[in-house]
Amino acid sequence: VLTVSQIGQMLDLPLKTPKDKQAPAWAPERDAAILELFYSTGMRLGELTSLNVEDIDTISECVRVLGKGRKERLCPVGSHALTALQRYRAKAGVHDGALFRSKVGRRITRQAIGQVVEKYWRMSGLPVHVTPHKLRHSFATHLLNNGADLRAVQSLLGHASLSTTQIYTHVSTQRMKEVYEAA
C-alpha cells in the first residue's frame, strides 16, 4: 500500500502539472476529482465509472455507490474530494448524467480512468506501482491504522464477508502493538 505521504504527493499532481494541449481544459480538474474520490471512498473502478452527478450528495457529504450484485451503499466523501468534484463540475459544465466524462462528452471508461491513475503515478516517481485497486487498499489500510473498526471498513468497501476485508487491509505492526497494549 501507499503511505499517506505518497498519496498526498500523487493527489497534488493534476492541478500542478502543465496542461496537455490535446486534452480538454477541464481535464486536470477531472483527474484531480477522480484521484481524490478513489482515495476518499475506496470505491472500485467499476463503481467510479458508473457514478452519475445525482449520486453525489454534497449536503450530507455522501456518495451513493452501486456495488457488486447491484447492492447499494452510502460512502462518506472527504472535504478535499468534494472540493475537487465541485471544481471539476463547474469547469466542465457537468450538471447531470455521467459524472466523469471523456473529452467527447461520453461516460469515461475503465481504461481511461486506469490511464489517469497510471499517468500521475509515472509523474510522481513513486517506487510503488499505483493502480486504482492500490488506492482502494491504501484507503482501507489508512482507516484501520487510524483506529477505524474493521466492520465499518467492510461496509465502506462493500464487502459481504469480513474475511475479504481482512485480505484487502495491511495493518501496520506498530498499530497492532498499540491496540494490544491498550487492551
Side-chain angles (χ1 to χ4, degrees):
V1 296
L2 299 164
T3 66
V4 174
S5 161
Q6 289 172 327
I7 290 282
Q9 184 179 339
M10 201 165 150
L11 295 181
D12 286 344
L13 285 172
L15 300 178
K16 290 184 177 179
T17 54
K19 294 188 178 10
D20 179 352
K21 292 178 181 145
Q22 295 178 349
W26 44 261
E29 285 78 9
R30 181 202 60 199
D31 296 352
I34 286 170
L35 294 175
E36 288 282 357
L37 202 55
F38 260 136
Y39 183 62
S40 179
T41 63
M43 69 177 72
R44 297 173 180 97
L45 176 58
E47 294 168 345
L48 190 82
T49 59
S50 66
L51 283 180
N52 291 316
V53 171
E54 299 77 25
D55 296 328
I56 307 293
D57 185 343
T58 56
I59 295 167
S60 67
E61 299 179 341
C62 285
V63 61
R64 185 176 57 86
V65 179
L66 194 58
K68 285 185 175 180
R70 310 234 3 117
K71 290 181 184 172
E72 188 177 298
R73 70 182 188 280
L74 287 177
C75 291
V77 179
S79 61
H80 293 289
L82 284 173
T83 300
L85 281 168
Q86 290 168 337
R87 199 175 317 132
Y88 156 64
R89 288 184 56 208
K91 191 156 186 182
V94 175
H95 304 294
D96 58 10
L99 178 61
F100 294 115
R101 300 176 184 186
S102 68
K103 63 182 174 184
V104 295
R106 293 192 186 113
R107 183 178 299 276
I108 198 168
T109 64
R110 295 169 58 99
Q111 293 81 7
I113 289 180
Q115 289 170 353
V116 166
V117 174
E118 178 85 11
K119 172 184 176 180
Y120 294 106
W121 164 66
R122 289 192 184 282
M123 285 182 180
S124 73
L126 294 173
V128 179
H129 185 239
V130 180
T131 63
H133 203 67
K134 190 142 312 180
L135 293 173
R136 181 170 161 86
H137 275 265
S138 299
F139 161 80
T141 301
H142 296 166
L143 283 176
L144 287 169
N145 283 347
N146 286 288
D149 178 72
L150 188 59
R151 292 255 181 224
V153 174
Q154 174 189 4
S155 178
L156 290 170
L157 293 173
H159 288 157
S161 168
L162 192 58
S163 62
T164 305
T165 307
Q166 290 171 322
I167 293 167
Y168 273 65
T169 58
H170 305 278
V171 182
S172 73
T173 306
Q174 181 61 36
R175 177 70 185 138
M176 286 191 290
K177 286 179 183 177
E178 290 169 7
V179 170
Y180 177 78
E181 288 170 8

